[in-house]
């Protein structure tokens, strides 16, 4: 595919020429050329492992390129570390926030950039500058609140403020909407437009092609470590970007619906859950999961979806309610446990793969057995059968296209999409009767999305019952046979897939009820 320059004429804010970077046998970047016009939003997309994050890490000083050169505002620079990048006016907001939960928002901004050794006047000086930035950009943050108490959208605003406070004129955003609600995404895009108007150059790494079309002035597509498309956004389309990313046509649309669903495999009646402070998180939830059916749960994050998955998988005991699995009944103090759930072939893919799906420092073969380590297949008189575990992990990697196929590689070194496929393989390979899935493709590239969707449909067609929680309405519409909408810890409505649209689901998600 030919590569036409997206930027020409005036001096670009960023120019990276002939960038190459190798990690052992892996060539992460191959002779990459990138030009980013000043005061624009420039999208960088590609599959997991395409080299885009490595390229941005070189720009921010995390890595040093093996070959190539970098220019900032037309001047050649050597970026030996992040401190030097910051001095050059480059800031980066990572997908997983770099904040200290126990410190206030104000102290997080000050950390490492204190304007003086006397704490009280330093705080006053930083607060004054942050208040000025908030007025200019609309990035409102409660500066006195501990970070742990801030919602996700506000934490991200804080990260952007932290970069701007340090003088960032070039801002790199890595998957900024991966954990945001639609409302928070809209607010973020409004902020990015304001930043662009005041002269900030923004590099946006994302898997969400709709967002590229919605916010970016230009886009660069990478595949296999090289640039395969570089153009103005107006000159391409979502389908064109998807094809450039994976090298073939990608179909994320709805496939054939399930045949008539079979017998109930899991039933819940009157499920209610309160948190440690007594605040209700689930109220009178009732639902049925049937064989050969995907039930989608739509809703803005934080409306009880996490608690629902936790209760059904045995991680959380509800205040009241009843669960039936086949001829077994669970209620009150005798609620199902995670071990009992696995014995009944109920599997769970958690929403947060880093905190709850993997132990990141462990090698892949150990992450691939979490929860199943006591199985007779893997344990003999308390001793792990390591050879079998590694062989099974290799089989999982092959079947679920986890790259690289190295069971000994540390879990943290796989890309987000490959981590997600590893977790899904662990839970789906035993062919569960019921699969509970939270955010199946969060932070995952379009090729991996197509693959994961195909695996979930295959499980359904083999007779499993699936409950899929997703904040992406497109994903719910593509996968589900029936949709439940959650709002305020309750089921606000239920729709067959034939009656679903973004407008109808949006009304229920916002508490407005069924459309007239």
């Amino acid at each position: 595919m030919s590569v036409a320059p997206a930027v020409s004429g005036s001096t670009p804010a960023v120019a990276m020429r002939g960038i190459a970077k190798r990690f052992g046998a892996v060539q992460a970047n191959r002779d990459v050329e990138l030009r980013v016009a000043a005061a624009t939003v420039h999208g960088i997309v590609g599959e997991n492992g395409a080299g885009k994050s490595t390229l941005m890490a070189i720009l921010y000083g995390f890595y040093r390129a093996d070959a190539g050169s970098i220019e900032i505002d037309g001047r050649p620079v050597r970026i030996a570390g992040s401190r030097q990048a910051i001095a050059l006016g480059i800031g980066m907001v990572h997908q997983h926030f770099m904040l200290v939960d126990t410190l206030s928002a104000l102290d997080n901004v000050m950390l490492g950039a204190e304007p003086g050794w006397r704490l009280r006047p330093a705080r006053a000086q930083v607060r004054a500058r942050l208040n000025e930035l908030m007025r200019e950009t609309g990035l409102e943050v409660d500066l006195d609140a501990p970070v742990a108490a801030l919602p996700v959208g506000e934490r991200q605003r804080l990260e952007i403020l932290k970069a701007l406070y340090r003088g960032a004129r070039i801002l790199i955003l890595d998957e900024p909407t991966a954990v945001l609600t639609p409302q928070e995404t809209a607010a973020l895009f409004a902020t990015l437009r304001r930043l662009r108007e005041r002269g900030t150059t923004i590099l946006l790494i994302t898997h969400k092609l709709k967002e590229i079309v919605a916010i970016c002035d230009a886009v660069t597509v990478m595949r296999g470590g090289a640039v395969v498309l570089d153009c103005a956004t107006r000159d391409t389309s979502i389908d064109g970007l998807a094809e450039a990313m994976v090298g073939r046509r990608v179909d994320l649309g709805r496939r054939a619906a399930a045949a008539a669903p079979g017998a109930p495999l899991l039933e819940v009646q009157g499920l209610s859950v309160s948190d440690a402070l007594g605040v209700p998180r689930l109220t009178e939830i009732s639902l049925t999961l049937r064989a050969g059916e995907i039930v989608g749960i739509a809703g803005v994050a934080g409306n009880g979806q996490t608690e629902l998955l936790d209760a059904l998988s045995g991680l959380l005991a509800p205040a009241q309610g009843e669960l039936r699995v086949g001829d077994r009944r669970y209620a009150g103090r005798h609620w199902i446990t995670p071990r009992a759930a696995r014995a009944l072939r109920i599997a769970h893919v958690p929403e947060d793969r880093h905190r709850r799906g993997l132990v990141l420092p462990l090698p892949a073969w150990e992450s691939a057995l979490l929860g199943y380590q006591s199985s007779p297949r893997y344990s003999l008189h308390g001793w792990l059968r390591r050879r079998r575990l590694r062989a099974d992990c290799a089989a999982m990697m092959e079947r679920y296209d986890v790259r690289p196929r190295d069971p000994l590689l540390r879990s943290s070194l796989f890309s987000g999409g490959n981590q997600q496929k590893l977790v899904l393989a662990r839970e789906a390979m035993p062919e569960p009767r019921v699969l509970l899935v939270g955010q199946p493709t969060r932070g995952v590239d379009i090729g991996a999305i197509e693959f994961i969707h195909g695996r979930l449909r295959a499980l359904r067609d083999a007779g499993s019952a699936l409950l899929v929680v997703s904040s992406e309405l497109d994903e719910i519409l593509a996968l589900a046979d029936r949709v439940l909408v959650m709002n305020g810890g309750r089921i606000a409505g239920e729709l067959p897939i034939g009656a679903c649209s973004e407008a109808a689901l949006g009304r229920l998600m916002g508490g407005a009820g069924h459309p007239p």
Side-chain angles (χ1 to χ4, degrees):
M1 182 178 295
S2 62
V3 179
V7 181
S8 59
S10 60
T11 302
V14 176
M16 303 180 77
R17 307 180 194 280
I19 299 295
K21 181 65 179 177
R22 176 183 290 275
F23 297 96
V26 177
Q27 186 74 49
N29 288 151
R30 305 169 186 271
D31 194 27
V32 174
E33 302 281 332
L34 176 69
R35 287 165 55 88
V36 181
T40 64
V41 180
H42 192 111
I44 301 178
V45 299
E47 290 189 276
N48 294 111
K52 56 192 186 299
S53 294
T54 298
L55 186 68
M56 291 300 97
I58 290 170
L59 180 60
Y60 193 59
F62 277 155
Y63 301 138
R64 296 190 67 174
D66 299 331
S69 63
I70 301 174
E71 294 177 9
I72 302 297
D73 298 325
R75 295 183 297 109
V77 298
R78 291 178 63 85
I79 304 176
S82 298
R83 188 180 295 273
Q84 188 175 355
I86 292 168
L88 289 168
I90 303 169
M92 188 167 185
V93 176
H94 302 269
Q95 179 179 355
H96 302 285
F97 302 143
M98 303 294 184
L99 299 169
V100 181
D101 285 354
T102 54
L103 295 183
S104 70
L106 178 67
D107 287 345
N108 266 277
V109 174
M110 284 181 57
L111 192 63
E114 298 84 351
W117 63 271
R118 297 174 60 201
L119 198 56
R120 184 172 294 179
R123 276 204 179 103
Q125 184 177 337
V126 174
R127 185 185 297 274
R129 176 56 180 151
L130 288 175
N131 284 331
E132 181 182 354
L133 283 171
M134 287 192 286
R135 285 192 299 271
E136 291 175 2
T137 63
L139 288 163
E140 290 296 327
V141 174
D142 182 352
L143 296 177
D144 296 310
V147 162
L150 297 178
V152 172
E154 200 163 339
R155 294 186 199 192
Q156 187 171 73
R157 293 196 292 274
L158 176 61
E159 285 277 31
I160 296 173
L161 274 175
K162 188 169 72 170
L164 295 176
Y165 172 78
R166 285 163 168 75
R169 298 172 293 103
I170 298 165
L171 191 60
I172 305 167
L173 302 179
D174 188 2
E175 298 290 350
T177 66
V179 294
L180 299 187
T181 67
Q183 294 90 333
E184 289 169 333
T185 297
L188 172 65
F189 284 2
T191 296
L192 296 186
R193 292 185 182 101
R194 284 193 293 269
L195 290 173
R196 178 175 58 188
E197 289 167 4
R198 68 194 288 272
T200 304
T201 303
I202 299 163
L203 291 92
L204 179 66
I205 305 173
T206 181
H207 290 120
K208 300 180 181 180
L209 300 184
K210 276 188 175 181
E211 295 178 357
I212 293 292
V213 173
I215 190 68
C216 293
D217 302 293
V219 59
T220 297
V221 181
M222 297 185 67
R223 188 171 75 239
V227 173
V228 295
L229 180 66
D230 190 26
C231 65
T233 308
R234 63 177 178 271
D235 295 333
T236 187
S237 65
I238 290 175
D239 289 343
L241 291 172
E243 187 170 348
M245 282 174 63
V246 301
R248 58 177 174 77
R249 185 184 177 92
V250 177
D251 181 10
L252 294 179
R254 177 152 187 86
R255 303 287 178 84
L265 297 182
L266 182 150
E267 298 176 90
V268 176
Q269 291 291 329
L271 186 66
S272 296
V273 170
S274 297
D275 65 17
L277 299 176
V279 177
R281 296 300 180 187
L282 294 177
T283 304
E284 292 291 323
I285 296 289
S286 298
L287 60 86
T288 299
L289 303 181
R290 298 178 179 275
E293 182 184 39
I294 299 177
V295 176
I297 299 282
V300 176
N303 278 273
Q305 299 96 317
T306 299
E307 290 80 3
L308 177 61
L309 290 176
D310 284 354
L312 296 183
S313 61
L315 293 171
L316 179 66
Q320 64 183 55
E322 178 179 285
L323 170 67
R324 292 184 180 179
V325 183
D327 59 356
R328 296 177 182 266
R329 174 184 173 274
Y330 300 90
R333 291 180 300 169
H334 304 290
W335 195 253
I336 195 169
T337 64
R339 177 171 290 188
R342 285 199 180 87
L344 292 170
R345 295 171 60 199
I346 299 173
H348 177 209
V349 177
E351 293 176 289
D352 189 333
R353 58 180 171 264
H354 281 183
R355 292 192 178 188
R356 306 182 70 179
L358 301 163
V359 179
L360 293 174
L362 295 183
W365 72 266
E366 292 191 52
S367 282
L369 70 89
L370 294 174
Y372 298 90
Q373 63 271 17
S374 299
S375 162
R377 177 171 179 79
Y378 298 136
S379 178
L380 180 64
H381 306 306
W383 294 92
L384 291 178
R385 295 177 162 180
R386 293 171 179 261
R387 184 175 298 176
R388 179 171 290 176
L389 283 161
R390 291 171 184 172
D392 280 8
C393 180
M396 289 181 191
M397 291 177 154
E398 181 68 29
R399 186 170 174 186
Y400 278 77
D401 193 29
V402 178
R403 306 176 197 172
R405 289 181 173 80
D406 183 359
L408 301 180
L409 187 66
R410 196 163 69 240
S411 301
S412 62
L413 297 180
F414 291 88
S415 67
N418 286 299
Q419 290 173 345
Q420 186 72 1
K421 287 191 282 188
L422 183 62
V423 175
L424 179 62
R426 181 184 70 214
E427 303 301 331
M429 285 276 280
E431 298 182 348
R433 299 180 75 233
V434 177
L435 180 62
L436 312 169
V437 189
Q439 308 298 343
T441 59
R442 174 176 281 168
V444 170
D445 67 66
I446 196 164
I449 290 172
E450 183 186 42
F451 182 92
I452 289 170
H453 284 187
R455 289 298 181 187
L456 295 178
R457 292 189 187 101
L459 281 170
R460 175 201 65 186
D461 295 344
S464 296
L466 283 76
L467 182 69
V468 175
V469 170
S470 177
S471 57
E472 301 291 335
L473 288 185
D474 285 348
E475 183 160 65
I476 292 293
L477 294 171
L479 278 175
D481 303 303
R482 178 164 53 95
V483 180
L484 307 177
V485 180
M486 293 190 67
N487 177 267
R490 298 176 181 270
I491 293 180
E494 177 177 345
L495 293 170
I497 193 62
C500 286
S501 65
E502 288 197 15
L505 293 176
R507 283 181 58 86
L508 291 169
M509 288 167 64
H514 283 274

